[in-house]
Amino acid sequence: MGRQILLFIPMDVIDNPKHGSIIYHPSILPRHRGASAINWTLIHGDKKAGFSVFWADDGLDTGPILLQRVCDVEPNDTVDSVYNRFLFPEGVKGMVKSVQLIADGKAPRIDQPEDGATYEGIQKKENAKICWDNSAEVIHNWIRGHDKVPGAWTVIKDQIVTLYGSSLLEGAVPSGEPLHIEGASKSGLVTKNGLVLFGKDEKMLIVKNLQFEDGKMIPASNYFSMGDVTVLELTEEEKAIESHIRDIWKGILSNVAAIEDSTDFFKSGAASMDVVRLVEEIKQKCAGLELQNEDVYMATTFQDFIQMVVRKFRGEDKEEIVVDYATLNVNNMTVKMPYQCFINGQFVDSDSGKTYETINPTDGSVLCKVSYCSVADVDKAVAAAKEAFENGEWGKMNARDRGRILYRLADLMEEHQEELATIEALDSGAVYTLALKTHVGMSVQTFRYFAGWCDKIQGSTIPINQARPNRNLTFTKKEPLGVCAIVIPWNYPLMMLAWKSAACLAAGNTLVLKPAQVTPLTALKFAELASKAGVPKGVINILPGSGGLVGQRLSEHPDIRKLGFTGSTPIGKQIMKSCAVSNLKKVSLELGGKSPLIIFNDCDLDKAVRMGMGAVYFNKGENCIAAGRLFVEESIHDEFVRRVVEEIKKMKIGDPLDRSTDHGPQNHKAHLEKLLEYCESGIKEGATLVYGAKHVPRPGFFMEPTVFTNVEDHMYIAQEESFGPVMVISKFKDGDIDGVLARANSTEYGLASGVFTRDISKAMYVSEKLEAGTVFINTYNKTDVAAPFGGFKQSGFGKDLGEEALHEYLRTKAVTVEY
């Protein structure tokens, strides 16, 4: 359905010609008078654009100014983007304001100065030739200023070729096939993203489409592969559409005896107005088909046109994302891993061209080189996310349609679950079976859960005191925040992404996400799947790189309205400070933990041993809610320890892709070294090392599951998190419930906790007294997408998962109406 704009104009303005006439002009007069003013704004590289409402003159645009409005011109703005973002919506408001000023007798008449005035008419095609003896920016301005009419052109292989869709290109020179361009000092490059051109300053621009003298238009990336397209077989329904369109062509090309597959629309005499008629007639007679004028120029023969229409009808017309992969033949499959940063719907090299190596913790080998993002990349990604939120289709999309896209994304993740789990095992050391079930499986569940929330986000109506004799109504609206930043850790790379991103997107925000520097690969694969699911460009941006550079810039960036972080408490404090100083952005923090697990002597000991081990060794101990300290009642302490050690000896340590492996490598070398130092401090302080604390003698970053007993409250290992496979056990006297609770709560952390007992009254009492965001009773690690997750004290604030997570990415607006 189209949008209608109604202007309610006071009747005295309409009925009294004494007011005179006013004219809207798309320029800041007197800068660009005449037709095509907006084109000349771009051609001249003006940093400001705008419109003027002026009193009518003799047709030379020199009448007195009534009202003007101004906007910034972005480096890659086009005529269309400036028009859609500002000139049209603000122009309507400006005309309404002007009419009201006239009605109120307050309309000014400001004479236009002649200084700086220009009068520039419609550019002729012969004058639109590109001069290559200019900088890249000047050439870019020339091309975008002439897009779409009359079109800036050059000569390629003795043929006039018109260039469309220009944007400036920064960073390293991309790889591509050279293409000689007449008059240019340097050959262009036909790349996967378009035709790269060079100014005399050696800087770059890139154009999207090329049009030849016969009217045919192609994607610039296809210059050397024209004609390499598979012909579609049409269904009966599609054949009926073909018949309708053939009749439309025949109506327009009345001079042609019959419309053949080879009939060329333009060679048969069609002009630009016929393009408009063709597009509008198809829209009217073939319900559901939305074409653009550009589509006609891209497929000029009837056969090509029908093929293009059918691809659109089938939904195959979406621009395919171009991905460079690092590939590995492993785990009985070919794993394809994107390695570039993902900004504004494209995989691109970092601005600096820098890369770094991501390492396989199983053997220390290099998996691939990944783009190392800089502050400039952050600024580009934030700008793309801001544009997508404020002006893109995501911000305008029906909530139910947004949910459908997230459901589709979840389906694609599930279709690629084996590949995702394999990448997770390679990049983070997660045991494949665990990666498949938890890392990937829960990620899929999370996106499905929040997809279901998209159309259920709602406010409320609130009774308030009436201001008699009038009546009042107050209601609240839940609104997205805008651009959100998400910074995630390396222990569950994909799952941490899902826990935060799914709620963020369901709420209608756009995001810029920084994966952990050591585990970027599943986040980049996720970006590829998100694009294929139909997430519009700019909505999701992924920036691998360092926390000190990328993470810090995200926390400081003035256009980011929310930052969600999972990581250590010291880094969380720094982020919170930066967020406050910059623009007081909203923050949610899931930080460190030292989660206590209390095991009473009336527990099911077999279950307590099994789940106690899972509480510590799950995911190699790299688990934010891992039981950092076990308190075992004295009468069962020794038996509990004996059984734990017995079970550890049965664990298979090895290749995470081996389905029989129980325990894989630690995430990265520095972390392994830190864990060994942690164990050394425990030994020095007098704790009893019962088992482990050694690097397994094999390639990779493997560590033996470790057990300490006789750990006293003052010891470093009793107070600080290991974030590894280290079980820290302290005993407590039989029956001393309040004493062990005091010890369990004697920490600045409060992420999770647990209790094992058959006495439900005791369990409920303990759960009430434990100072932690999550309490497990006779179980552990039992998280669910519907249950809120987050900590107390220095373990942070804010929630992931469940309905509460949505509120982290929403704001509440109260609206009061008097009637």
Side-chain angles (χ1 to χ4, degrees), residues 720-795:
E720 296 299 327
E721 181 179 30
S722 72
F723 214 65
V726 182
M727 184 177 285
V728 175
I729 303 175
S730 300
K731 67 176 70 172
F732 67 96
K733 292 181 180 180
D734 287 4
D736 188 10
I737 299 174
D738 289 327
V740 75
L741 277 170
R743 295 172 71 189
N745 287 330
S746 182
T747 172
E748 275 300 300
Y749 300 111
L751 189 56
S753 59
V755 55
F756 279 84
T757 176
R758 285 191 173 97
D759 185 338
I760 191 63
S761 296
K762 184 194 297 181
M764 295 305 293
Y765 175 78
V766 170
S767 70
E768 184 179 316
K769 297 296 183 181
L770 283 168
E771 297 171 359
T774 297
V775 180
F776 298 108
I777 298 176
N778 294 327
T779 188
Y780 209 88
N781 287 322
K782 183 63 177 175
T783 53
D784 187 89
V785 295
F789 179 92
F792 298 164
K793 299 189 284 189
Q794 291 198 45
S795 288

Coordinates of all heavy atoms in Angstrom, one line a residue, residues 720-795:
E720 N 39.1 -16.4 43.9 CA 39.1 -15.9 42.5 C 38.7 -17.1 41.6 O 39.0 -18.2 41.8 CB 40.5 -15.4 42.2 CG 40.8 -14.1 42.9 CD 39.9 -13.0 42.6 OE1 39.3 -12.9 41.5 OE2 39.6 -12.1 43.5
E721 N 38.1 -16.7 40.5 CA 37.6 -17.6 39.5 C 38.8 -18.2 38.7 O 39.7 -17.5 38.3 CB 36.7 -16.9 38.6 CG 36.1 -17.7 37.4 CD 35.1 -16.8 36.6 OE1 35.4 -15.6 36.5 OE2 34.2 -17.3 36.0
S722 N 38.8 -19.5 38.4 CA 39.8 -20.1 37.6 C 39.4 -20.0 36.1 O 40.3 -19.9 35.2 CB 40.1 -21.5 38.0 OG 39.0 -22.4 37.6
F723 N 38.2 -20.2 35.8 CA 37.6 -20.3 34.5 C 38.3 -21.5 33.7 O 38.6 -21.4 32.5 CB 37.8 -19.0 33.7 CG 36.6 -18.8 32.7 CD1 35.4 -18.5 33.2 CD2 36.9 -18.8 31.3 CE1 34.3 -18.3 32.3 CE2 35.8 -18.5 30.5 CZ 34.5 -18.3 30.9
G724 N 38.5 -22.6 34.4 CA 39.1 -23.8 33.9 C 38.7 -25.0 34.7 O 37.9 -24.9 35.6
P725 N 39.3 -26.1 34.3 CA 38.8 -27.4 34.9 C 39.5 -27.7 36.3 O 40.3 -28.6 36.5 CB 39.3 -28.4 33.9 CG 40.5 -27.8 33.3 CD 40.3 -26.3 33.3
V726 N 39.2 -26.8 37.2 CA 39.8 -26.8 38.6 C 38.7 -26.9 39.6 O 37.9 -26.0 39.8 CB 40.7 -25.6 38.8 CG1 41.4 -25.8 40.2 CG2 41.7 -25.4 37.7
M727 N 38.6 -28.1 40.3 CA 37.6 -28.2 41.4 C 38.2 -27.8 42.7 O 39.3 -28.4 43.1 CB 37.1 -29.7 41.4 CG 36.0 -29.9 42.5 SD 35.4 -31.6 42.5 CE 34.4 -31.6 41.0
V728 N 37.6 -26.9 43.3 CA 38.1 -26.3 44.6 C 37.2 -26.7 45.7 O 36.0 -26.3 45.7 CB 38.2 -24.8 44.5 CG1 38.6 -24.2 45.9 CG2 39.2 -24.4 43.4
I729 N 37.6 -27.6 46.6 CA 36.7 -28.2 47.6 C 37.1 -27.8 49.0 O 38.2 -27.8 49.4 CB 36.7 -29.8 47.5 CG1 36.4 -30.2 46.1 CG2 35.8 -30.4 48.6 CD1 36.5 -31.7 45.9
S730 N 36.1 -27.3 49.8 CA 36.2 -27.0 51.2 C 35.2 -27.8 51.9 O 34.0 -28.0 51.4 CB 36.0 -25.5 51.4 OG 37.0 -24.8 50.7
K731 N 35.5 -28.3 53.1 CA 34.5 -29.0 53.9 C 33.9 -28.1 54.9 O 34.4 -27.0 55.3 CB 35.1 -30.2 54.6 CG 36.2 -29.9 55.7 CD 36.7 -31.1 56.4 CE 37.6 -32.0 55.5 NZ 38.2 -33.1 56.2
F732 N 32.7 -28.5 55.4 CA 32.0 -27.7 56.4 C 31.4 -28.7 57.4 O 31.1 -29.8 57.1 CB 31.0 -26.7 55.9 CG 29.8 -27.4 55.3 CD1 28.6 -27.6 56.0 CD2 29.8 -27.8 53.9 CE1 27.5 -28.1 55.4 CE2 28.6 -28.3 53.4 CZ 27.5 -28.5 54.1
K733 N 31.3 -28.3 58.7 CA 30.8 -29.1 59.7 C 29.4 -29.6 59.5 O 28.5 -28.8 59.0 CB 30.9 -28.4 61.1 CG 32.4 -28.2 61.5 CD 32.4 -27.5 62.9 CE 33.8 -27.3 63.3 NZ 33.9 -26.6 64.7
D734 N 29.1 -30.8 59.9 CA 27.7 -31.4 59.7 C 26.7 -30.5 60.4 O 26.9 -30.1 61.6 CB 27.6 -32.8 60.3 CG 28.4 -33.8 59.4 OD1 29.0 -33.4 58.4 OD2 28.3 -35.0 59.7
G735 N 25.7 -30.1 59.7 CA 24.6 -29.4 60.3 C 24.8 -27.9 60.4 O 23.8 -27.2 60.7
D736 N 25.9 -27.4 59.9 CA 26.2 -26.0 60.0 C 25.7 -25.2 58.8 O 26.5 -24.7 57.9 CB 27.7 -25.7 60.2 CG 28.0 -24.3 60.6 OD1 27.0 -23.5 60.8 OD2 29.2 -23.9 60.5
I737 N 24.4 -25.1 58.7 CA 23.8 -24.5 57.4 C 24.1 -23.0 57.3 O 24.6 -22.6 56.3 CB 22.2 -24.8 57.4 CG1 21.9 -26.3 57.4 CG2 21.6 -24.1 56.2 CD1 20.5 -26.6 57.6
D738 N 23.8 -22.3 58.4 CA 24.1 -20.9 58.4 C 25.6 -20.5 58.2 O 25.9 -19.6 57.6 CB 23.5 -20.2 59.6 CG 22.0 -20.2 59.6 OD1 21.4 -20.1 58.5 OD2 21.4 -20.3 60.7
G739 N 26.4 -21.4 58.8 CA 27.9 -21.1 58.7 C 28.3 -21.3 57.3 O 29.1 -20.5 56.7
V740 N 27.9 -22.4 56.6 CA 28.3 -22.6 55.2 C 27.7 -21.5 54.3 O 28.3 -21.1 53.3 CB 28.0 -24.0 54.7 CG1 26.5 -24.2 54.4 CG2 28.8 -24.3 53.5
L741 N 26.5 -21.0 54.6 CA 25.9 -20.0 53.8 C 26.7 -18.7 53.9 O 26.9 -18.0 52.9 CB 24.4 -19.7 54.3 CG 23.3 -20.7 53.7 CD1 22.0 -20.5 54.4 CD2 23.2 -20.4 52.2
A742 N 27.1 -18.4 55.1 CA 28.0 -17.2 55.3 C 29.2 -17.3 54.5 O 29.7 -16.3 53.8 CB 28.3 -17.0 56.8
R743 N 29.8 -18.5 54.4 CA 31.1 -18.6 53.7 C 30.8 -18.6 52.1 O 31.5 -18.0 51.4 CB 31.7 -20.0 54.0 CG 32.2 -20.1 55.4 CD 32.6 -21.5 55.8 NE 33.9 -21.9 55.1 CZ 34.4 -23.1 55.1 NH1 33.7 -24.1 55.7 NH2 35.5 -23.4 54.4
A744 N 29.7 -19.2 51.7 CA 29.3 -19.2 50.3 C 29.0 -17.7 49.8 O 29.4 -17.4 48.7 CB 28.1 -20.0 50.1
N745 N 28.4 -16.9 50.7 CA 28.1 -15.5 50.3 C 29.3 -14.6 50.5 O 29.2 -13.4 50.1 CB 26.9 -15.0 51.1 CG 25.6 -15.7 50.6 OD1 25.5 -16.1 49.4 ND2 24.6 -15.9 51.5
S746 N 30.3 -15.0 51.1 CA 31.5 -14.2 51.4 C 32.3 -14.0 50.2 O 33.5 -14.3 50.1 CB 32.3 -14.7 52.6 OG 33.3 -13.9 52.9
T747 N 31.7 -13.4 49.2 CA 32.4 -13.1 47.9 C 31.7 -11.9 47.2 O 30.6 -11.7 47.5 CB 32.3 -14.4 47.0 OG1 32.9 -14.0 45.7 CG2 30.9 -14.8 46.8
E748 N 32.5 -11.2 46.4 CA 31.9 -10.1 45.7 C 31.2 -10.5 44.4 O 30.6 -9.7 43.7 CB 33.0 -9.1 45.4 CG 33.3 -8.1 46.5 CD 32.1 -7.3 46.8 OE1 31.5 -6.6 46.0 OE2 31.7 -7.4 48.0
Y749 N 31.2 -11.8 44.2 CA 30.5 -12.3 43.0 C 29.2 -12.9 43.4 O 28.9 -13.4 44.5 CB 31.4 -13.4 42.3 CG 32.7 -12.9 41.8 CD1 33.9 -13.3 42.4 CD2 32.8 -12.0 40.8 CE1 35.1 -12.8 42.0 CE2 34.0 -11.5 40.4 CZ 35.2 -11.9 41.0 OH 36.4 -11.4 40.6
G750 N 28.2 -13.0 42.4 CA 26.9 -13.5 42.7 C 26.2 -14.0 41.4 O 25.1 -13.6 41.2
L751 N 26.9 -14.7 40.6 CA 26.3 -15.1 39.3 C 25.4 -16.3 39.5 O 24.2 -16.3 39.1 CB 27.4 -15.4 38.3 CG 27.0 -15.7 36.8 CD1 26.2 -14.5 36.3 CD2 28.2 -15.9 35.9
A752 N 25.9 -17.4 40.0 CA 25.1 -18.6 40.1 C 25.5 -19.3 41.4 O 26.4 -19.0 42.1 CB 25.3 -19.6 38.9
S753 N 24.7 -20.4 41.8 CA 25.0 -21.2 43.0 C 24.2 -22.5 42.9 O 23.4 -22.6 42.0 CB 24.5 -20.4 44.2 OG 23.2 -20.1 44.1
G754 N 24.5 -23.4 43.8 CA 23.7 -24.6 43.8 C 23.7 -25.3 45.1 O 24.5 -25.0 46.0
V755 N 22.8 -26.2 45.3 CA 22.6 -27.0 46.5 C 22.1 -28.4 46.2 O 21.2 -28.5 45.4 CB 21.7 -26.2 47.5 CG1 20.3 -25.9 46.9 CG2 21.5 -27.0 48.8
F756 N 22.7 -29.4 46.9 CA 22.2 -30.7 46.8 C 21.8 -31.3 48.1 O 22.6 -31.3 49.1 CB 23.3 -31.7 46.2 CG 23.5 -31.6 44.7 CD1 24.2 -30.6 44.1 CD2 22.8 -32.5 43.9 CE1 24.3 -30.5 42.7 CE2 22.9 -32.4 42.5 CZ 23.7 -31.4 41.9
T757 N 20.5 -31.6 48.2 CA 19.9 -32.2 49.4 C 18.6 -32.8 49.1 O 17.9 -32.3 48.2 CB 19.8 -31.1 50.5 OG1 19.1 -31.6 51.7 CG2 18.9 -29.9 50.0
R758 N 18.2 -33.8 49.9 CA 16.9 -34.4 49.7 C 15.8 -33.7 50.5 O 14.7 -33.9 50.3 CB 16.9 -35.9 50.2 CG 17.6 -36.8 49.2 CD 17.3 -38.3 49.6 NE 17.8 -39.2 48.6 CZ 19.0 -39.9 48.6 NH1 19.8 -39.6 49.7 NH2 19.3 -40.7 47.7
D759 N 16.3 -32.8 51.4 CA 15.4 -32.0 52.3 C 14.9 -30.8 51.5 O 15.7 -29.8 51.4 CB 16.1 -31.7 53.6 CG 15.2 -31.0 54.6 OD1 14.1 -30.4 54.2 OD2 15.6 -31.0 55.8
I760 N 13.7 -30.8 51.1 CA 13.2 -29.6 50.2 C 13.1 -28.4 51.1 O 13.4 -27.3 50.5 CB 11.9 -30.0 49.6 CG1 11.5 -28.9 48.5 CG2 10.8 -30.1 50.6 CD1 12.5 -28.8 47.4
S761 N 12.8 -28.5 52.4 CA 12.7 -27.3 53.2 C 14.1 -26.7 53.3 O 14.3 -25.4 53.2 CB 12.2 -27.6 54.6 OG 10.8 -28.1 54.5
K762 N 15.1 -27.5 53.5 CA 16.5 -27.0 53.6 C 16.9 -26.4 52.3 O 17.5 -25.3 52.3 CB 17.4 -28.2 54.0 CG 18.9 -27.7 54.2 CD 19.8 -28.9 54.2 CE 19.5 -29.9 55.4 NZ 20.5 -31.0 55.4
A763 N 16.5 -27.0 51.2 CA 16.9 -26.5 49.9 C 16.3 -25.1 49.6 O 17.0 -24.2 49.1 CB 16.4 -27.5 48.8
M764 N 15.0 -25.0 50.0 CA 14.4 -23.7 49.8 C 14.9 -22.6 50.7 O 15.1 -21.4 50.3 CB 12.9 -23.8 50.0 CG 12.2 -24.8 49.0 SD 12.5 -24.3 47.2 CE 11.6 -22.7 47.1
Y765 N 15.3 -23.0 51.9 CA 15.9 -22.0 52.8 C 17.2 -21.5 52.3 O 17.5 -20.3 52.2 CB 16.1 -22.7 54.2 CG 16.8 -21.8 55.2 CD1 16.2 -20.7 55.8 CD2 18.2 -22.0 55.5 CE1 16.8 -19.9 56.8 CE2 18.8 -21.2 56.4 CZ 18.2 -20.1 57.0 OH 18.8 -19.3 57.9
V766 N 18.0 -22.5 51.8 CA 19.4 -22.2 51.3 C 19.2 -21.3 50.0 O 20.0 -20.3 49.8 CB 20.2 -23.4 51.0 CG1 21.4 -23.1 50.2 CG2 20.5 -24.1 52.3
S767 N 18.3 -21.7 49.1 CA 18.1 -20.9 47.9 C 17.7 -19.5 48.2 O 18.1 -18.5 47.4 CB 17.1 -21.6 47.0 OG 15.8 -21.5 47.5
E768 N 16.9 -19.3 49.2 CA 16.5 -17.9 49.6 C 17.7 -17.1 50.1 O 17.7 -15.9 49.9 CB 15.4 -18.0 50.7 CG 14.8 -16.7 51.1 CD 13.7 -16.9 52.1 OE1 12.9 -17.8 52.0 OE2 13.7 -16.1 53.1
K769 N 18.6 -17.7 50.8 CA 19.7 -17.0 51.4 C 20.9 -16.8 50.5 O 21.7 -15.9 50.7 CB 20.2 -17.7 52.7 CG 19.1 -17.9 53.8 CD 18.7 -16.5 54.3 CE 17.7 -16.6 55.5 NZ 17.3 -15.2 56.0
L770 N 21.0 -17.6 49.5 CA 22.2 -17.5 48.6 C 22.1 -16.2 47.8 O 21.0 -15.9 47.2 CB 22.3 -18.7 47.7 CG 22.9 -20.0 48.3 CD1 22.6 -21.2 47.4 CD2 24.3 -19.8 48.6
E771 N 23.1 -15.4 47.7 CA 23.2 -14.2 47.0 C 23.7 -14.4 45.6 O 24.8 -14.1 45.3 CB 24.0 -13.2 47.8 CG 23.5 -12.9 49.2 CD 24.4 -12.0 50.0 OE1 25.6 -11.7 49.5 OE2 24.1 -11.7 51.2
A772 N 22.8 -14.9 44.7 CA 23.2 -15.2 43.4 C 22.0 -15.1 42.5 O 20.9 -15.3 42.9 CB 23.8 -16.6 43.3
G773 N 22.2 -14.7 41.2 CA 21.2 -14.5 40.3 C 20.5 -15.8 39.8 O 19.3 -15.8 39.4
T774 N 21.2 -16.9 39.9 CA 20.6 -18.2 39.6 C 21.0 -19.2 40.7 O 22.1 -19.2 41.2 CB 21.2 -18.7 38.3 OG1 20.8 -17.9 37.2 CG2 20.7 -20.1 38.0
V775 N 20.0 -20.0 41.2 CA 20.2 -21.0 42.1 C 19.7 -22.4 41.5 O 18.6 -22.5 41.1 CB 19.5 -20.8 43.5 CG1 19.8 -21.9 44.5 CG2 19.9 -19.4 44.1
F776 N 20.6 -23.4 41.5 CA 20.2 -24.7 41.1 C 20.0 -25.6 42.3 O 20.8 -25.6 43.2 CB 21.3 -25.3 40.2 CG 21.6 -24.5 38.9 CD1 22.8 -23.8 38.8 CD2 20.7 -24.5 37.9 CE1 23.0 -23.1 37.6 CE2 21.0 -23.8 36.7 CZ 22.1 -23.1 36.6
I777 N 18.9 -26.3 42.3 CA 18.6 -27.3 43.4 C 18.6 -28.7 42.8 O 17.8 -29.0 41.9 CB 17.3 -26.9 44.1 CG1 17.3 -25.5 44.7 CG2 17.0 -28.0 45.1 CD1 16.0 -25.1 45.3
N778 N 19.5 -29.5 43.3 CA 19.7 -30.9 42.9 C 19.9 -31.0 41.3 O 19.5 -32.0 40.7 CB 18.5 -31.7 43.3 CG 18.4 -31.9 44.8 OD1 19.5 -31.9 45.5 ND2 17.2 -31.9 45.4
T779 N 20.5 -30.0 40.8 CA 20.9 -30.0 39.4 C 21.9 -28.9 39.2 O 22.2 -28.2 40.2 CB 19.6 -29.8 38.4 OG1 20.0 -29.9 37.1 CG2 19.1 -28.4 38.6
Y780 N 22.5 -28.8 38.0 CA 23.4 -27.7 37.7 C 23.5 -27.5 36.2 O 23.2 -28.4 35.4 CB 24.8 -28.0 38.3 CG 25.5 -26.7 38.7 CD1 25.3 -26.1 39.9 CD2 26.3 -26.0 37.8 CE1 26.0 -24.9 40.3 CE2 26.9 -24.8 38.1 CZ 26.8 -24.3 39.4 OH 27.4 -23.1 39.7
N781 N 23.9 -26.3 35.8 CA 24.0 -25.9 34.4 C 22.7 -26.0 33.6 O 22.7 -26.1 32.4 CB 25.1 -26.8 33.7 CG 26.5 -26.5 34.1 OD1 26.8 -25.3 34.3 ND2 27.3 -27.5 34.2
K782 N 21.6 -26.1 34.3 CA 20.3 -26.2 33.6 C 19.7 -24.8 33.3 O 18.9 -24.3 34.0 CB 19.3 -27.0 34.5 CG 18.0 -27.3 33.9 CD 18.1 -28.2 32.7 CE 16.7 -28.5 32.1 NZ 16.8 -29.2 30.8
T783 N 20.3 -24.3 32.2 CA 19.8 -23.0 31.7 C 18.7 -23.3 30.6 O 18.8 -24.3 29.9 CB 20.9 -22.1 31.2 OG1 21.6 -22.8 30.2 CG2 21.8 -21.7 32.3
D784 N 17.8 -22.3 30.4 CA 16.8 -22.5 29.4 C 16.5 -21.1 28.8 O 16.6 -20.1 29.5 CB 15.5 -23.1 30.0 CG 14.5 -23.4 28.9 OD1 14.5 -24.5 28.4 OD2 13.7 -22.5 28.6
V785 N 16.2 -21.1 27.5 CA 16.0 -19.8 26.8 C 14.9 -19.0 27.4 O 14.8 -17.8 27.3 CB 15.7 -20.1 25.3 CG1 16.9 -20.7 24.6 CG2 14.5 -20.9 25.1
A786 N 13.9 -19.6 28.1 CA 12.8 -18.9 28.7 C 13.1 -18.4 30.1 O 12.3 -17.6 30.6 CB 11.6 -19.8 28.7
A787 N 14.2 -18.8 30.7 CA 14.5 -18.4 32.1 C 15.6 -17.3 32.1 O 16.6 -17.4 31.4 CB 15.0 -19.6 32.9
P788 N 15.3 -16.2 32.8 CA 16.3 -15.1 32.8 C 17.6 -15.5 33.5 O 17.6 -16.3 34.4 CB 15.6 -14.0 33.7 CG 14.6 -14.7 34.5 CD 14.1 -15.9 33.7
F789 N 18.7 -14.9 32.9 CA 20.0 -15.3 33.4 C 20.8 -14.0 33.6 O 20.9 -13.2 32.7 CB 20.7 -16.1 32.3 CG 22.1 -16.6 32.7 CD1 22.3 -17.8 33.3 CD2 23.2 -15.8 32.3 CE1 23.6 -18.2 33.6 CE2 24.5 -16.2 32.7 CZ 24.7 -17.4 33.3
G790 N 21.4 -13.9 34.8 CA 22.2 -12.7 35.1 C 22.6 -12.7 36.6 O 22.1 -13.5 37.4
G791 N 23.6 -11.9 36.9 CA 24.2 -12.0 38.3 C 23.8 -10.8 39.2 O 23.2 -9.8 38.8
F792 N 24.3 -10.9 40.4 CA 24.2 -9.9 41.4 C 25.6 -9.4 41.7 O 26.6 -10.0 41.3 CB 23.6 -10.5 42.7 CG 22.2 -11.0 42.6 CD1 21.7 -11.8 43.6 CD2 21.4 -10.6 41.5 CE1 20.4 -12.2 43.5 CE2 20.1 -11.1 41.4 CZ 19.6 -11.9 42.5
K793 N 25.7 -8.3 42.5 CA 27.0 -7.8 43.0 C 27.9 -7.5 41.8 O 27.5 -7.0 40.8 CB 27.6 -8.7 44.1 CG 26.6 -8.8 45.3 CD 27.3 -9.5 46.5 CE 27.4 -11.0 46.3 NZ 27.8 -11.7 47.6
Q794 N 29.2 -8.0 42.0 CA 30.2 -7.7 40.9 C 30.2 -8.7 39.8 O 31.0 -8.7 39.0 CB 31.6 -7.5 41.5 CG 31.7 -6.3 42.4 CD 33.2 -5.9 42.6 OE1 34.0 -5.9 41.7 NE2 33.5 -5.5 43.9
S795 N 29.1 -9.5 39.8 CA 28.9 -10.4 38.6 C 28.0 -9.7 37.6 O 27.7 -10.3 36.6 CB 28.2 -11.7 39.1 OG 29.1 -12.5 39.7

